[in-house]
Amino acid sequence: MTSADAPRPQLKIRLIHLDTGRENVAVMSRRSKALRPEVFSGFSRVEIRRNAKSVLATLLITDDDALVGPDELGLAEPAFRRFGEPAGTFVTVSPATPPDSLDAVRGKIQGRTLSAAEITAIVNDLTRYRYSDMEIAAFLIGAARFMTSDELLALVSAMASVGTQLRWDRPIVVDKHCIGGIPGNRTSMILVPIVAAHGLTIPKTSSRAITSPAGTADTMEVLARVDVSVAEMKEIVAACNGCLIWGGHVNLSPADDILISVERPLCLDTREQMVASIMSKKLAAGSTHLLVDLPVGPTAKVASALDAMRLRKLFEFVGDHFGIAVETITTDGRQPIGNGIGPVLEAQDVMAVLGNDPKAPADLREKSLRLAAHLLEYDPHLRGGAGYARARELLESGAALKQMQKIIDNQGPSTCHKDLGTLTAEVTAERDGVVSAIDCLQLNRLARTAGAPIDKGAGIRLFKKVGDRVEAGEPLYRIYAFDPAERELAVAAAKLACGYTVDDAQTFREQVM
Amino acid sequence: MTSADAPRPQLKIRLIHLDTGRENVAVMSRRSKALRPEVFSGFSRVEIRRNAKSVLATLLITDDDALVGPDELGLAEPAFRRFGEPAGTFVTVSPATPPDSLDAVRGKIQGRTLSAAEITAIVNDLTRYRYSDMEIAAFLIGAARFMTSDELLALVSAMASVGTQLRWDRPIVVDKHCIGGIPGNRTSMILVPIVAAHGLTIPKTSSRAITSPAGTADTMEVLARVDVSVAEMKEIVAACNGCLIWGGHVNLSPADDILISVERPLCLDTREQMVASIMSKKLAAGSTHLLVDLPVGPTAKVASALDAMRLRKLFEFVGDHFGIAVETITTDGRQPIGNGIGPVLEAQDVMAVLGNDPKAPADLREKSLRLAAHLLEYDPHLRGGAGYARARELLESGAALKQMQKIIDNQGPSTCHKDLGTLTAEVTAERDGVVSAIDCLQLNRLARTAGAPIDKGAGIRLFKKVGDRVEAGEPLYRIYAFDPAERELAVAAAKLACGYTVDDAQTFREQVM
């Protein structure tokens, strides 16, 4: 089907200013001089070639010569960038033969167990953007049905192999990862300076928000540059024992970036996929000891102790196989951690904790110390059980703050705006009582609607947490935004569902009992 | 999230000349005056509203003011058509709340059995284009995992309810359906005139090709108009007892059209989905008696007698529930039926059989008579067992040809080109021997590559069938095309895999034994 030698008309490529995200998209004229576009419609995907170089793309048709003429082939921005040839280059277009690895995807849908070679081929084709969105969804849903232990190991291994692989010449490289879902919860920015100040190596890479109002990388970016190269990262870690940078820039797991971008809109989040995503990144990052934070709560990703245990066993199994010492810790995931939701507000919480500000959120401080204590125990020279005291000592003495300042200096200054949103709105309690529940999902959504993480200073500041007494009309939280339309959208959404449940004190006491 | 009352900037809609098929696509400027597009990226889908009217769409971003300015919202052709408002209309745009029925899709992926109400909601949202491609794929793959009997019945019922529902005031309305996959095989165009000439009612609707080189509607279109309205269809059937029209134009199962367009590129074809697709259309078409043709062969959709039996049971179960008398018949699906592949070539085969031409393909004639015999037995006035003799009598007497001419006259003249492709190429045997196998999938693909069904006269004429002796260099088939590039592509593909297996006579005899 794709004999490159057959003589056939060529088209000149042209950049179409459309951002189509992960999917490659090509645009052809309905009067195309190469092949008639109707011929392609049954094939749904086309292969664009110049000599040995090729990309697969989804084809759209146009009647507008101003967009794409009959002797042209339009490539949307991502496809143009990935093809890497200048505008005007002549290319051939043919119906795409689907990637061979799609046979394995179909097998998976039909319930077959895949070999390591098949899983590697799928991951390689995914990473080379040879799958359409539908095909990625097919793999994820097929794999969501069941995945054997061997398949999971093969997936972790394949995902860890397609990107950058960091190696450190130190015997202990510690790392901490939270499975996410809890607003606020910026413990990494507190425990990394504590652990680094102690002297352990902790080269932390974090993600940017995808569907949440802030990732650790978004929040750290308020304080310092986070898009550093692999070479710079190594220098920073050599100087500071640790860093707090964006993992996407060092390309640790390109396959994971693609899979997550399809999992999120479909709300697919199986245990196996979660473990594959995290462990492949840690394997690529060269971590030797990993602490996984599993928040448990009704609106958290893990809803029960049983689910947490299953997840723990899976992390341990994969960790043992690849020689990473994995420990999991279940934490309180019933409500946000800290008071801020959104990059600037969260950065304020973090700096208040590091600065030993008496008004700093106690839950964020306590949780960070607890996690840091676990990490410090990986130091063979520390007396067993001394982790917590050591973590608190490093925090209270100001050593952690000093280490954070050093990390910030080494990563370089941030260029983003640090102001808080100037348009605010307070959401108030409708009745007297006690806050009995806070919906993490709804608060995430509201903060995003208000503009976070695009606007660093947009988000939500909480005034009340679970167990606090409130009076009717008293503010529960304040929304910060810059854009009037976004403020209105967030206020309207909060009116429909504010995310807080307020019960009378008696009912709340009964619930707690 | 979507309070329509909130005051926020509006955008003027603008048509973007892009054919995005089934998916709604909107384009927004990176400098949009309404909401910043980055805010939407995490939501992936947007809702576009004017008063009570709304559509959901996938959002693309552009930097090109000539395409979409900061105060505009571009709508690709299908979304513009479905929204139904003129260019320049002011609309609001907000992050889309996913359709509620997606919760049920997620439940299905996780292995839950869905209620009839949930399945109805999914089908309704699908048909209103509220699902993205990924979401449609998620439903199909989730349902491919397992589907209970009750779920299947609910799906058939929901799919039959969302489109046109035909009712006939006759006690017996017969129909025949082939599950497809076999090139040629245009039995409907022979048995409909036979059955109609006998006096039974057979209002046949057929599909156009999606990934095959011709559907019955494409082939019939060589002889007559097939895109007739429901009112015209009723007149034609009143005059002729039957018709041969395109089902898509009378909108019998819009949900099926959408599901199939995602199933095909993913090659999903479970028994349940096949039965739901066919039975929902027959239920909507008002059929009382249905004969289902199940070709069995190594490259057919049904590979074994066991698979055929399972499919039969499922057809019978659904037919019994909805009061349609269903009969299945397994037929030889090891190779194409007739000699032509492609609309004009297949129409020639059909007219040769109806005209009792001695050179007409015997396999097409025999199979059509066999199926017609079954259908005629539904006539209570016909003596049991007399169906075949009656079918042959109607064919040989010319009554069937006369009835076909009447149907063609009533449907009206075709406007399409009827010439055979002027660019030809013969594919020859590489060795002496006997044709032992023909790959239906590969021949379909070659005929499509040559231009069928877009070019009615493109396709393949077979000179040899299974069991025929051939000599090295002797032609196996001839490719017909109009476009030099398509001819070259088809020839190159045939060089890689011609679709024929030629063995020595001894080996072939052993295989047959």
Side-chain angles (χ1 to χ4, degrees):
Chain A
M1 185 58 48
T2 54
S3 160
D5 313 323
R8 53 197 131 119
Q10 298 199 321
L11 297 175
K12 277 185 293 187
I13 59 169
R14 171 175 179 169
L15 171 62
I16 305 284
H17 290 281
L18 276 180
D19 183 353
T20 56
R22 121 207 96 239
E23 189 149 23
N24 285 337
V25 170
V27 183
M28 191 185 256
S29 166
R30 208 179 292 283
R31 292 171 298 285
S32 176
K33 293 214 168 116
L35 294 174
R36 285 158 315 150
E38 308 96 289
V39 175
F40 288 104
S41 62
F43 291 93
S44 87
R45 302 266 290 166
V46 292
E47 180 158 19
I48 300 150
R49 277 182 176 273
R50 174 180 156 76
N51 302 329
K53 197 182 262 187
S54 97
V55 292
L56 298 191
T58 296
L59 188 69
L60 304 181
I61 308 302
T62 186
D63 289 314
D64 184 356
D65 280 354
L67 199 60
V68 175
D71 58 346
E72 294 177 315
L73 180 75
L75 292 181
E77 280 161 9
F80 189 88
R81 192 175 62 242
R82 289 167 195 151
F83 193 56
E85 294 285 335
T89 302
F90 278 97
V91 298
T92 58
V93 190
S94 53
T97 308
D100 288 341
S101 64
L102 269 184
D103 283 341
V105 171
R106 267 175 233 120
K108 191 74 220 162
I109 291 171
Q110 284 150 19
R112 191 158 67 75
T113 299
L114 304 186
S115 69
E118 285 174 316
I119 288 176
T120 303
I122 291 170
V123 170
N124 285 338
D125 281 332
L126 272 177
T127 313
R128 287 154 64 211
Y129 300 97
R130 296 180 75 82
Y131 274 30
S132 71
D133 280 4
M134 276 199 298
E135 290 160 352
I136 297 170
F139 171 62
L140 285 170
I141 298 165
R145 184 177 168 185
F146 79 89
M147 191 171 251
T148 66
S149 306
D150 284 343
E151 285 180 313
L152 176 58
L153 295 177
L155 182 60
V156 171
S157 177
M159 287 172 70
S161 305
V162 288
T164 303
Q165 295 183 59
L166 297 173
R167 292 299 168 256
W168 308 94
D169 55 354
R170 309 197 185 190
I172 297 178
V173 178
V174 306
D175 207 340
K176 172 246 137 194
H177 198 97
C178 176
I179 60 165
I182 307 299
N185 200 28
R186 288 285 89 85
T187 57
S188 289
M189 289 172 65
I190 298 166
L191 64 84
V192 165
I194 293 175
V195 170
H198 176 75
L200 280 180
T201 304
I202 184 162
K204 182 89 187 84
T205 59
S206 304
S207 53
R208 288 190 187 275
I210 297 180
T211 56
S212 74
T216 292
D218 301 299
T219 300
M220 184 65 190
E221 200 173 29
V222 173
L223 307 175
R225 190 167 64 96
V226 295
D227 49 343
V228 309
S229 67
V230 171
E232 288 173 312
M233 178 189 185
K234 297 220 159 191
E235 281 174 28
I236 296 161
V237 174
C240 312
N241 296 328
C243 64
L244 281 156
I245 67 163
W246 176 39
H249 197 74
V250 289
N251 200 34
L252 275 186
S253 190
D256 190 51
D257 297 343
I258 292 169
L259 291 176
I260 280 185
S261 68
V262 174
E263 280 166 21
R264 293 290 163 89
L266 289 177
C267 299
L268 284 174
D269 221 352
T270 67
R271 277 193 295 276
E272 284 78 6
Q273 282 163 7
M274 194 187 283
V275 169
S277 164
I278 294 170
M279 293 304 288
S280 66
K281 273 184 283 197
K282 301 310 168 189
L283 193 55
S287 310
T288 62
H289 293 72
L290 171 65
L291 179 65
V292 182
D293 173 12
L294 304 178
V296 180
T299 55
K301 287 190 182 177
V302 177
S304 72
L306 181 66
D307 281 352
M309 188 192 70
R310 287 186 173 140
L311 207 43
R312 169 170 68 79
K313 300 248 171 179
L314 216 48
F315 273 111
E316 290 168 351
F317 167 75
V318 174
D320 286 351
H321 180 87
F322 290 105
I324 300 177
V326 179
E327 195 181 357
T328 64
I329 181 169
T330 54
T331 57
D332 183 352
R334 290 172 305 164
Q335 61 176 335
I337 298 291
N339 301 328
I341 305 173
V344 170
L345 289 157
E346 292 172 13
Q348 289 178 352
D349 278 357
V350 164
M351 294 313 288
V353 171
L354 286 172
N356 294 297
D357 183 335
K359 286 188 216 138
D363 57 349
L364 178 62
R365 180 179 192 272
E366 221 19 79
K367 182 170 176 181
S368 302
L369 284 174
R370 190 177 158 215
L371 295 172
H374 273 270
L375 292 171
L376 292 178
E377 296 283 352
Y378 296 141
D379 175 6
H381 304 299
L382 195 72
R383 189 167 179 83
Y388 187 86
R390 176 69 175 142
R392 198 174 52 191
E393 175 196 333
L394 289 163
L395 180 64
E396 292 182 350
S397 69
L401 178 62
K402 203 173 142 199
Q403 195 72 17
M404 181 63 155
Q405 202 51 60
K406 191 171 173 188
I407 291 171
I408 291 171
D409 291 344
N410 273 268
Q411 288 187 199
S414 160
T415 56
C416 65
H417 294 283
K418 294 167 189 70
D419 304 334
L420 258 186
T422 47
L423 304 176
T424 62
E426 289 190 352
V427 174
T428 56
E430 292 190 348
R431 52 168 291 182
D432 293 354
V434 176
V435 175
S436 61
I438 301 181
D439 182 337
C440 291
L441 295 171
Q442 180 62 3
L443 286 181
N444 270 340
R445 209 169 161 88
L446 293 177
R448 243 201 106 86
T449 304
I454 318 297
D455 282 329
K456 295 281 185 190
I460 290 176
R461 174 175 283 152
L462 308 179
F463 301 126
K464 300 289 176 185
K465 302 293 277 279
V466 170
D468 286 349
R469 292 192 161 272
V470 293
E471 289 173 20
E474 201 182 355
L476 297 170
Y477 54 85
R478 186 182 294 142
I479 296 170
Y480 293 84
F482 288 93
D483 183 293
E486 285 162 11
R487 176 186 174 279
E488 289 314 305
L489 264 181
V491 168
K495 263 188 198 135
L496 290 175
C498 78
Y500 271 64
T501 308
V502 177
D503 280 323
D504 59 54
Q506 179 63 23
T507 310
F508 178 68
R509 269 196 303 274
E510 281 163 10
Q511 279 177 8
V512 175
M513 313 278 277
Chain B
M1 185 55 50
T2 54
S3 160
D5 312 323
R8 54 197 131 119
Q10 299 199 320
L11 296 175
K12 278 185 292 186
I13 59 170
R14 171 175 179 168
L15 171 62
I16 305 285
H17 289 282
L18 276 180
D19 183 353
T20 57
R22 128 205 90 240
E23 189 147 22
N24 285 337
V25 171
V27 183
M28 192 185 257
S29 165
R30 209 180 291 282
R31 292 171 298 285
S32 176
K33 293 215 167 115
L35 295 174
R36 284 159 314 150
E38 309 96 290
V39 174
F40 288 103
S41 62
F43 291 93
S44 86
R45 301 267 289 167
V46 293
E47 179 157 20
I48 300 150
R49 276 183 175 272
R50 174 181 157 75
N51 303 328
K53 198 182 262 186
S54 96
V55 291
L56 299 189
T58 297
L59 188 69
L60 303 181
I61 308 302
T62 185
D63 289 314
D64 185 355
D65 281 353
L67 198 60
V68 175
D71 59 346
E72 294 178 314
L73 180 75
L75 292 181
E77 280 161 9
F80 189 88
R81 193 175 61 241
R82 288 167 196 151
F83 193 55
E85 295 284 336
T89 301
F90 279 97
V91 298
T92 58
V93 190
S94 53
T97 309
D100 288 341
S101 63
L102 269 184
D103 283 341
V105 170
R106 267 173 234 121
K108 191 75 221 162
I109 292 171
Q110 284 150 20
R112 191 157 67 75
T113 299
L114 303 186
S115 69
E118 286 174 316
I119 288 175
T120 303
I122 291 169
V123 170
N124 284 338
D125 281 333
L126 272 177
T127 313
R128 288 154 64 211
Y129 300 97
R130 295 180 75 83
Y131 274 31
S132 71
D133 280 4
M134 275 198 300
E135 291 161 351
I136 298 171
F139 170 63
L140 285 170
I141 298 165
R145 184 177 169 187
F146 78 90
M147 192 173 252
T148 66
S149 305
D150 284 343
E151 286 180 314
L152 175 57
L153 295 177
L155 183 61
V156 170
S157 177
M159 287 171 71
S161 305
V162 289
T164 304
Q165 295 182 60
L166 297 172
R167 292 299 168 258
W168 309 92
D169 56 354
R170 309 195 185 192
I172 296 177
V173 178
V174 306
D175 208 340
K176 172 246 136 194
H177 198 96
C178 176
I179 61 164
I182 306 300
N185 200 28
R186 286 287 89 84
T187 57
S188 290
M189 289 172 64
I190 297 165
L191 64 84
V192 165
I194 292 176
V195 169
H198 176 74
L200 278 180
T201 305
I202 184 161
K204 182 90 188 84
T205 60
S206 304
S207 52
R208 288 189 188 276
I210 297 181
T211 54
S212 74
T216 294
D218 301 299
T219 301
M220 184 65 189
E221 200 173 29
V222 173
L223 307 175
R225 190 168 64 96
V226 296
D227 50 344
V228 308
S229 66
V230 171
E232 289 172 310
M233 178 189 185
K234 297 220 158 190
E235 282 174 28
I236 296 161
V237 173
C240 311
N241 297 326
C243 64
L244 280 156
I245 68 164
W246 177 38
H249 197 72
V250 291
N251 200 35
L252 274 186
S253 190
D256 189 50
D257 297 344
I258 292 169
L259 291 177
I260 281 184
S261 68
V262 175
E263 280 166 20
R264 293 289 163 87
L266 289 177
C267 299
L268 285 174
D269 222 350
T270 67
R271 276 193 295 278
E272 284 78 6
Q273 283 163 8
M274 194 188 283
V275 169
S277 164
I278 294 170
M279 292 305 287
S280 66
K281 273 185 282 196
K282 299 310 168 190
L283 193 56
S287 310
T288 62
H289 293 71
L290 172 65
L291 179 65
V292 182
D293 173 13
L294 304 178
V296 180
T299 56
K301 288 190 182 176
V302 177
S304 72
L306 181 65
D307 282 350
M309 189 193 69
R310 287 185 174 141
L311 205 44
R312 170 169 70 79
K313 301 247 171 180
L314 216 48
F315 272 112
E316 290 168 352
F317 167 75
V318 174
D320 286 352
H321 180 86
F322 290 105
I324 301 177
V326 178
E327 196 181 355
T328 63
I329 182 171
T330 54
T331 57
D332 182 352
R334 290 173 303 165
Q335 62 175 335
I337 299 291
N339 300 330
I341 306 173
V344 169
L345 288 156
E346 292 172 13
Q348 290 178 350
D349 278 358
V350 164
M351 294 313 287
V353 170
L354 286 172
N356 293 297
D357 183 335
K359 285 189 217 139
D363 57 349
L364 178 63
R365 181 180 192 273
E366 218 25 76
K367 181 170 177 180
S368 303
L369 283 174
R370 188 176 160 218
L371 295 172
H374 273 270
L375 291 171
L376 291 177
E377 296 282 354
Y378 295 142
D379 176 6
H381 304 299
L382 195 73
R383 189 168 181 85
Y388 187 85
R390 176 68 177 144
R392 197 173 55 192
E393 176 195 332
L394 289 163
L395 179 64
E396 291 182 351
S397 70
L401 177 61
K402 206 174 137 196
Q403 195 72 17
M404 181 64 155
Q405 201 52 59
K406 193 172 172 186
I407 292 171
I408 291 171
D409 291 345
N410 273 268
Q411 289 187 197
S414 159
T415 56
C416 65
H417 294 283
K418 294 166 189 69
D419 304 335
L420 260 185
T422 47
L423 304 175
T424 62
E426 288 189 353
V427 174
T428 55
E430 293 190 349
R431 51 168 291 184
D432 294 355
V434 176
V435 175
S436 62
I438 302 181
D439 182 337
C440 292
L441 295 172
Q442 179 63 3
L443 286 182
N444 270 339
R445 212 170 158 89
L446 293 177
R448 243 201 105 87
T449 304
I454 319 296
D455 282 329
K456 295 282 184 189
I460 290 175
R461 175 174 282 152
L462 308 179
F463 301 126
K464 300 289 177 185
K465 301 293 277 278
V466 170
D468 287 350
R469 294 191 160 273
V470 293
E471 288 173 20
E474 201 182 354
L476 297 170
Y477 55 85
R478 185 182 295 142
I479 296 169
Y480 294 83
F482 289 92
D483 184 293
E486 285 162 10
R487 177 186 174 280
E488 288 315 303
L489 265 181
V491 168
K495 262 187 199 134
L496 290 174
C498 78
Y500 272 64
T501 308
V502 176
D503 280 324
D504 61 52
Q506 179 64 25
T507 310
F508 178 68
R509 268 196 304 275
E510 282 162 10
Q511 277 175 10
V512 174
M513 314 279 276

